[in-house]
Amino acid sequence: MPRAWYTTDKAQTIAKRLVVFFCGLGVLWGLSYVPFIAPGFHTVQGGIYSASSTVGRAISRLFAQESTLSSQLELCTERLTQTTATAAQAEQANNEVTQWQQVVGYEQRSGVHGLAARIIARGETPASTVIIDRGANDGVAEGSAVVIGNGILYGTIISVEGTQSFVRVTEDARSALSATIQGATKTMGLVVGQEGAALQMQYIPQDTTIAIGDIVVTSGLGGKVPEGLILGTVQNIQAEPSAPFLTATILPVHDPREWTAVIVLPFPGTGNL
Amino acid sequence: MRSALFLALLFGGLITFEASCVWALGGVALAIPIMAIGGLLVMHRSGMADGIAWFLALAFIRHDVVSLALCLIAPFLLLRTFSTRSIYALLGFGFASYTLSIISVGTIAYLGGILGLKAENLLPKHPILQIAFLLPGLYIGTVIIRSLQKNFLSRIALKSPL
């Protein structure tokens, strides 16, 4: 009696081969889930994929049509412009954060709590007037000192409106502040702006001990601008034997154009704003 | 049974090579049917059972209807039409099998569309390009197999399934 086809040796051999084949596939599939084998395999596979896709991109660029390249160039140029603008905004924001950090640091060190403000408009020249976003509604008063960074005097409030105020920077020619050398107790002179990058300290008594490099600070005379706010450093001293007073050129320690974050100080002895 | 294990390893290696290397090139390389070429070579040189197992596994893993059609059409062509002795028979067998499979699946997709079934995903993306790549792929595959048999497999005393 002939045997059934599935009982023949050939059929059984084929069946065994198929079982081994599918079991082999199952083992390979299972190995991909083994914790210490799968990451290695994926690393190798990822490396092959990365290399192949790099080659593929290079080949597609070789065969790219001119119109495709032109449109890609246009797109890249547009993205570069946008990225440059974004980078400029990011740098400006970073600068502003740094400034605010310095302002907060000054408040913490001095114990004076002023009113934080932002410069929203400038005059035509750096040594001129700026507008800040705080006004009478926030308690700002004419004559208040405006400082930046680490206790550096930026200017004084000359005009107040409801929601904004005008600040005359120290470099402005109409600015005049009583000043002294840091560490001294009495007023030594008057610091006036020079419509440029420098200040001039006038009416310094002939017998005053003053040297190049000395730090010039406000003396607090007048009662509106606190004492100890930094104006600049002595750059040179003009002395004439026949003149009753000395004159010194003061170099400011800041550039008014660089600052956007300021703090408005209350009048000395009046508390916080 | 070592040859069956070798076949399983070959299947796993080839499917990884296709997905990670060939298809990663992008462009027209996406239309190179590496696994179909491998399966047709296996069926032509190693036997119908191995080829059917190959395409069944492929159909199961990739949910590929063309591979399922090849399981049915290719053995029939191998038994009735094409010999297993020459490379021209291999090329004819590969071309006929794959073309008939795509036509069958296309017909099913068309009829399914008429009946309101969403069957447009059954067909591969670039069927004509795939057939165009199939013939040189089968030829190159044969050259590689002959070289492997002579230089590698015989040295490690492994009876190649191909």
Side-chain angles (χ1 to χ4, degrees):
Chain A
M1 186 173 173
R3 292 166 65 184
W5 64 271
Y6 49 82
T7 59
T8 58
D9 291 336
K10 188 177 177 186
Q12 287 185 357
T13 306
I14 290 173
K16 282 178 194 167
R17 279 176 65 84
L18 292 181
V19 166
V20 170
F21 173 71
F22 285 113
C23 287
L25 286 184
V27 166
L28 283 176
W29 176 76
L31 281 175
S32 66
Y33 288 91
V34 175
F36 52 88
I37 291 179
F41 177 72
H42 292 151
T43 305
V44 172
Q45 200 176 5
I48 295 170
Y49 182 86
S50 172
S52 295
S53 59
T54 304
V55 171
R57 281 197 301 274
I59 293 171
S60 67
R61 275 197 292 272
L62 273 176
F63 292 101
Q65 293 177 352
E66 189 183 326
S67 59
T68 310
L69 290 173
S70 297
S71 62
Q72 283 182 353
L73 179 62
E74 207 176 292
L75 184 65
C76 286
T77 307
E78 190 183 323
R79 282 190 185 158
L80 178 63
T81 308
Q82 287 172 357
T83 306
T84 306
T86 306
Q89 286 171 5
E91 191 177 341
Q92 189 180 349
N94 193 37
N95 288 341
E96 199 167 315
V97 166
T98 306
Q99 291 176 17
W100 282 119
Q101 284 172 342
Q102 289 182 352
V103 162
V104 168
Y106 168 72
E107 274 194 315
Q108 288 173 343
R109 283 191 303 274
S110 65
V112 175
H113 292 287
L115 186 66
R118 183 179 276 114
I119 297 172
I120 57 175
R122 296 184 194 277
E124 288 176 359
T125 58
S128 182
T129 310
V130 299
I131 304 173
I132 60 174
D133 62 352
R134 299 288 193 179
N137 296 346
D138 304 296
V140 176
E142 273 187 34
S144 298
V146 176
V147 297
I148 54 173
N150 296 313
I152 302 168
L153 182 67
Y154 186 83
T156 52
I157 303 284
I158 55 168
S159 171
V160 180
E161 294 178 358
T163 55
Q164 62 185 23
S165 304
F166 293 79
V167 178
R168 178 177 289 146
V169 297
T170 52
E171 287 81 4
D172 190 278
R174 295 161 290 180
S175 169
L177 296 157
S178 59
T180 184
I181 304 299
Q182 192 176 48
T185 53
K186 60 178 184 177
T187 300
M188 286 185 182
L190 193 70
V191 171
V192 297
Q194 295 291 295
E195 282 294 351
L199 306 169
Q200 193 179 63
M201 190 170 181
Q202 301 169 346
Y203 308 116
I204 307 170
Q206 283 278 3
D207 61 352
T208 301
T209 306
I210 184 170
I212 291 172
D214 281 346
I215 298 173
V216 177
V217 298
T218 53
S219 64
L221 189 67
K224 289 188 177 180
V225 176
E227 64 177 324
L229 299 177
I230 300 170
L231 289 164
T233 55
V234 177
Q235 193 180 30
N236 67 54
I237 304 162
Q238 295 96 42
E240 288 178 27
S242 58
F245 299 106
L246 299 173
T247 306
T249 304
I250 310 300
L251 190 67
V253 293
H254 75 281
D255 182 352
R257 292 167 296 184
E258 291 177 352
W259 293 87
T260 57
V262 298
I263 186 167
V264 181
L265 295 180
F267 295 144
T270 58
N272 303 329
L273 271 179
Chain B
M1 294 301 116
R2 279 188 302 170
S3 60
L5 277 174
F6 178 77
L7 199 66
L9 274 173
L10 182 68
F11 185 94
L14 217 53
I15 208 170
T16 307
F17 174 73
E18 184 183 45
S20 297
C21 188
V22 177
W23 286 353
L25 292 171
V28 293
L30 291 169
I32 301 175
I34 299 281
M35 289 304 287
I37 291 169
L40 289 167
L41 279 167
V42 165
M43 187 175 280
H44 191 257
R45 296 180 68 93
S46 179
M48 237 181 323
D50 290 340
I52 291 171
W54 182 287
F55 286 119
L56 270 177
L58 191 62
F60 178 71
I61 290 169
R62 288 225 174 117
H63 308 288
D64 185 13
V65 181
V66 173
S67 301
L68 210 56
L70 276 167
C71 277
L72 301 169
I73 294 170
F76 178 79
L77 287 174
L78 198 62
L79 273 176
R80 301 288 183 185
T81 313
F82 296 98
S83 73
T84 58
R85 280 188 291 273
S86 76
I87 192 163
Y88 304 105
L90 168 66
L91 295 177
F93 163 66
F95 177 78
S97 305
Y98 206 74
T99 308
L100 284 173
S101 301
I102 287 180
I103 291 171
S104 309
V105 171
T107 308
I108 294 168
Y110 177 72
L111 291 172
I114 291 175
L115 294 171
L117 302 168
K118 285 188 182 175
E120 59 270 9
N121 292 331
L122 294 179
L123 268 179
K125 290 252 178 342
H126 309 282
I128 296 175
L129 260 183
Q130 286 190 347
I131 294 168
F133 278 122
L134 190 79
L135 298 179
L138 285 171
Y139 181 80
I140 293 168
T142 306
V143 170
I144 291 172
I145 288 166
R146 285 180 182 168
S147 171
L148 278 176
Q149 274 179 328
K150 203 189 312 183
N151 299 319
F152 174 64
L153 295 175
S154 60
R155 282 187 194 165
I156 62 171
L158 178 65
K159 183 179 177 298
S160 156
L162 306 173

